[in-house]
Amino acid sequence: RRQPLNPKLVDVGQLVTGFSDLLRRSLGETIEFRTVVTGASNEALVDASQLQNALLNLALNARDAMPRGGKLTIDISRVKLDVDYAQMYPHMRTGDYVLISVTDTGTGMTPEVKEKAFEPFFTTKGVGSGTGLGLSMVYGFAKQSGGNIQLYSEPGQGTSVRLFLPAAQKEDAKMSAEVATASRAAAIPGGTEKILVVEDDPRVRRVAVSRLIDFGYQVVEAANGVEALDRLAQNDDIALLFTDIVMPGGMTGDELAAEVRARRPNIRVLFTSGYAEPAIAGRELAQSGSWLKKPYTARELAVELRDILN
């Protein structure tokens, strides 16, 4: 049911920080909780009380997914979704957003559960433990606010729910537009090295590969770690491994990077992930690997690659 919203200009970082004590008490003593606010301009036109309600629902879901304790992180930042990202995820619209990522180290979801997670009354909890309305309410709130929601989850690795709220347009929007125009006019750096791209989502991999080819790079692609090692054996001139961190199939991105380095010590590594932080379920990234958080723009990818390869 569409509920009436009362949107006002809200600094999302301040709202979450002020609300964190209640969230911490709701989670209990076995869960380590932290908030990370990046940047000073995280204002959105949103119903503050409904946003708090949505975050409480997400926190309680995370708590139930970590019966033996764990970590919960709420990460707030300003992001720009470009055409590349919209091609990877067709339900997303381009524009400026305030991104709220709620990431836990719990049990995670199977693909079947993830597919139904936003359906009203669908729940994996026992009788009397929940209605299944929590995630569907958050979904409805995000859509009604003009934003969107994404779900990243792997069994045993945890879950990251990403809430995109349209960022408020500041008075200096004209200046920002001029800066953006100048930025686009500047040449995007490219190269000719060979890059091994490892990504299990076919659509995301296709867009990433297409963009890298546009930048001038040679590209070899793989859907998982085992396939990536086969491609590595067939190509002795790979300069960089660009891999997702959490992948199905028994080998994670950091485990793949460690194996690649053991075979080819000179190969550079760039990790990417939809999770809020590079330490997933307590594991740290392999040594000397750089990290690019999704969503990233084409320019951010190009600049990061040149920084590493140079």
Side-chain angles (χ1 to χ4, degrees):
R1 184 169 68 183
R2 289 177 66 88
Q3 54 198 341
L5 296 180
N6 182 27
K8 294 182 179 178
L9 196 62
V10 174
D11 186 308
V12 177
Q14 289 182 5
L15 180 140
V16 173
T17 302
F19 185 53
S20 60
D21 284 345
L22 174 59
L23 291 173
R24 187 172 282 108
R25 289 197 300 271
S26 302
L27 291 169
E29 296 180 356
T30 61
I31 294 174
E32 179 186 331
F33 173 66
R34 67 171 181 160
T35 58
V36 180
V37 181
T38 304
S41 180
N42 293 308
E43 292 186 333
L45 196 64
V46 68
D47 187 315
S49 62
Q50 291 297 335
L51 175 55
Q52 288 178 329
N53 194 17
L55 292 175
L56 183 58
N57 269 287
L58 294 177
L60 294 178
N61 274 358
R63 179 197 65 187
D64 293 343
M66 297 184 287
R68 297 182 181 178
K71 297 179 182 178
L72 177 68
T73 302
I74 297 183
D75 189 296
I76 298 121
S77 60
R78 182 117 174 205
V79 298
K80 185 177 184 66
L81 301 186
D82 63 3
V83 175
D84 283 351
Y85 200 78
Q87 287 177 336
M88 293 179 188
Y89 306 100
H91 63 284
M92 300 295 292
R93 289 176 293 186
T94 59
D96 293 308
Y97 293 88
V98 174
L99 169 60
I100 308 171
S101 299
V102 182
T103 303
D104 66 59
T105 58
T107 53
M109 302 180 189
T110 63
E112 295 76 23
V113 169
K114 193 163 56 173
E115 191 174 328
K116 296 182 178 180
F118 294 126
E119 293 180 7
F121 303 111
F122 174 79
T123 181
T124 57
K125 300 175 185 177
V127 175
S129 297
T131 62
L133 283 173
L135 275 180
S136 61
M137 188 284 293
V138 177
Y139 177 88
F141 163 72
K143 290 288 190 179
Q144 200 176 342
S145 299
N148 221 313
I149 189 167
Q150 277 186 309
L151 191 61
Y152 288 86
S153 191
E154 297 286 350
Q157 301 293 341
T159 297
S160 187
V161 181
R162 298 152 65 80
L163 193 61
F164 294 84
L165 300 173
Q169 298 302 312
K170 308 288 282 184
E171 292 179 1
D172 58 356
K174 182 179 178 182
M175 186 182 299
S176 297
E178 291 172 355
V179 171
T181 302
S183 177
R184 282 194 296 271
I188 293 180
T192 57
E193 294 92 340
K194 185 176 286 187
I195 296 176
L196 173 57
V197 176
V198 190
E199 167 63 59
D200 59 286
D201 187 319
R203 186 188 292 116
V204 174
R205 188 172 68 249
R206 186 168 60 248
V207 174
V209 167
S210 174
R211 188 56 65 231
L212 291 173
I213 291 173
D214 289 345
F215 295 159
Y217 295 104
Q218 304 170 67
V219 180
V220 178
E221 56 183 291
N224 54 55
V226 174
E227 194 175 307
L229 292 176
D230 287 342
R231 299 288 183 274
L232 183 72
Q234 297 163 9
N235 295 269
D236 57 5
D237 55 346
I238 290 174
L240 182 140
L241 168 68
F242 180 44
T243 179
D244 197 9
I245 299 175
V246 178
M247 297 182 291
M251 182 179 288
T252 61
D254 50 334
E255 291 169 343
L256 169 63
E259 182 62 32
V260 167
R261 283 202 182 93
R263 300 184 185 189
R264 309 265 185 88
N266 294 327
I267 288 183
R268 305 287 196 273
V269 177
L270 175 59
F271 295 105
T272 184
S273 177
Y275 285 87
E277 52 185 334
I280 311 271
R283 294 193 326 273
E284 296 295 332
L285 293 184
Q287 185 180 6
S288 74
S290 299
W291 181 61
L292 190 63
K293 185 170 73 171
K294 297 176 183 175
Y296 53 81
T297 64
R299 173 173 291 278
E300 288 168 342
L301 172 59
V303 170
E304 189 70 28
L305 284 173
R306 281 290 13 126
D307 284 348
I308 297 170
L309 289 168
N310 288 346

